[in-house]
Amino acid sequence: MFDPASPFIGKADPLQPSQKTSFAEDRLKIAVQSCELAPGSISTEAQISDRFGLGRAAVRVALARLSALGLVHPIPRAGWKVLPVTGALIGDIISARRQVEPCLAQARPDSDAIARMDELAEMIDVLDGQGDPGALATRRTYERELLDTLADAMGNRLMAHFLSGLWDHSERILRFLETPTSQPFAAQQARALTRAAATGDSEQIVALRMSDIAAFQEYAVAGLMRDRTELGVSHDAATALNNNGQQRPDTGEPSGPTITEDPGTKSNKGVTS
């Protein structure tokens, strides 16, 4: 009789293919959002697989899913290109957020959600003003959880998913614009937002979100004007090797054994102050 506990049966892989793909997608999404994979950079599936210790098949599926989210797109015979951060992109994100975030006024969080928002707001206040990168990253995580909690309370999963994508893009833009010598983006008015949600003050919710978007726009404009280097292209773009001797279709430039980076200028097209 078959004994599934027999020591003679080989051990199954602890991660099934679907789990490997999910893990790869999560890891690469974090890499894109944190600018570990720099905006505008091009990498092959093999390079990404080696860099992050992921299987090629899982990387291929994960990149396809990230492409559906608009975070990367394939370049024929060259690899995958991370969505560049441009002034036009920032302008589009700001415009979309201004049109969509007023829907948060419909949110009616229950007592458990309000209690969690209170906890998050308290932790955000504690971390506000702390300059070390770890505190900033933790504060951003709490701020995002607070917004996600509010979005979930709308009862519209499709709209919450769309907002999540906009906030993902906004987070990546902030990571890109923040430098070791610049001031980090200011903390949300978490306490005020929590109070407004608890009391059902729709107008205050909208006012607070519009204020945060305006601050984001001001910070983005200042960041674009402060730095004139090429938009997020690092050594990742150069490591696309020689593209098998083919012309790179995204630039129109022939590639060779040595790839140099031509300094460019950040554009603030699409962002108005």
Side-chain angles (χ1 to χ4, degrees):
M1 185 172 65
F2 175 70
D3 180 7
S6 171
F8 298 102
I9 297 178
K11 298 296 183 182
D13 190 331
L15 288 180
Q16 298 302 313
S18 60
Q19 294 173 307
K20 292 180 181 180
T21 300
S22 179
F23 177 81
E25 181 182 358
D26 291 343
R27 179 64 184 93
L28 295 183
K29 185 176 181 181
I30 290 172
V32 171
Q33 286 182 289
S34 65
C35 296
E36 187 178 357
L37 283 173
S41 66
I42 300 174
S43 302
T44 65
E45 291 175 3
Q47 291 164 349
I48 293 173
S49 177
D50 291 342
R51 178 172 175 178
F52 296 99
L54 302 168
R56 289 283 295 276
V59 165
R60 185 176 298 112
V61 175
L63 288 170
R65 292 179 178 176
L66 294 183
S67 178
L69 297 176
L71 295 175
V72 300
H73 66 271
I75 302 296
R77 299 181 302 280
W80 291 81
K81 183 172 183 177
V82 179
L83 180 68
V85 173
T86 65
L89 172 67
I90 296 172
D92 287 344
I93 295 300
I94 290 170
S95 177
R97 287 183 59 183
R98 282 189 170 134
Q99 294 180 58
V100 177
E101 290 198 31
C103 292
L104 290 170
Q106 304 170 12
R108 294 296 180 266
D110 58 23
S111 58
D112 290 340
I114 290 296
R116 180 55 182 165
M117 290 176 70
D118 272 326
E119 293 174 357
L120 292 168
E122 182 177 355
M123 291 185 285
I124 290 168
D125 285 347
V126 170
L127 293 169
D128 187 21
Q130 296 188 24
D132 64 284
L136 178 59
T138 302
R139 192 197 85 197
R140 290 269 168 77
T141 299
Y142 292 151
E143 288 177 330
R144 178 55 185 273
E145 184 181 346
L146 187 144
L147 288 178
D148 286 339
T149 301
L150 188 61
D152 288 342
M154 290 190 302
N156 186 327
R157 296 181 63 184
L158 184 61
M159 189 63 70
H161 180 73
F162 186 55
L163 280 170
S164 180
L166 291 174
W167 292 332
D168 283 346
H169 281 293
S170 297
E171 181 179 346
R172 189 174 76 102
I173 290 166
L174 285 178
R175 293 286 190 96
F176 177 67
L177 293 175
E178 287 176 337
T179 66
T181 58
S182 67
Q183 286 292 324
F185 184 62
Q188 295 178 11
Q189 301 177 64
R191 289 242 181 234
L193 186 61
T194 300
R195 286 195 299 268
T199 58
D201 190 340
S202 300
E203 291 185 3
Q204 180 68 352
I205 290 174
V206 174
L208 289 168
R209 295 313 303 145
M210 293 302 104
S211 175
D212 188 68
I213 295 170
F216 175 80
Q217 175 175 314
E218 183 178 348
Y219 189 88
V221 170
L224 290 173
M225 295 179 67
R226 182 176 59 244
D227 189 348
R228 288 187 168 273
T229 58
E230 189 173 352
L231 285 174
V233 176
S234 70
H235 66 279
D236 284 333
T239 57
L241 300 179
N242 62 7
N243 195 26
N244 295 321
Q246 301 294 321
Q247 181 173 332
R248 255 181 51 181
D250 62 316
T251 63
E253 298 176 357
S255 52
T258 302
I259 300 177
T260 58
E261 296 180 7
D262 182 29
T265 303
K266 282 187 178 179
S267 166
N268 64 358
K269 180 181 178 182
V271 180
T272 57
S273 56

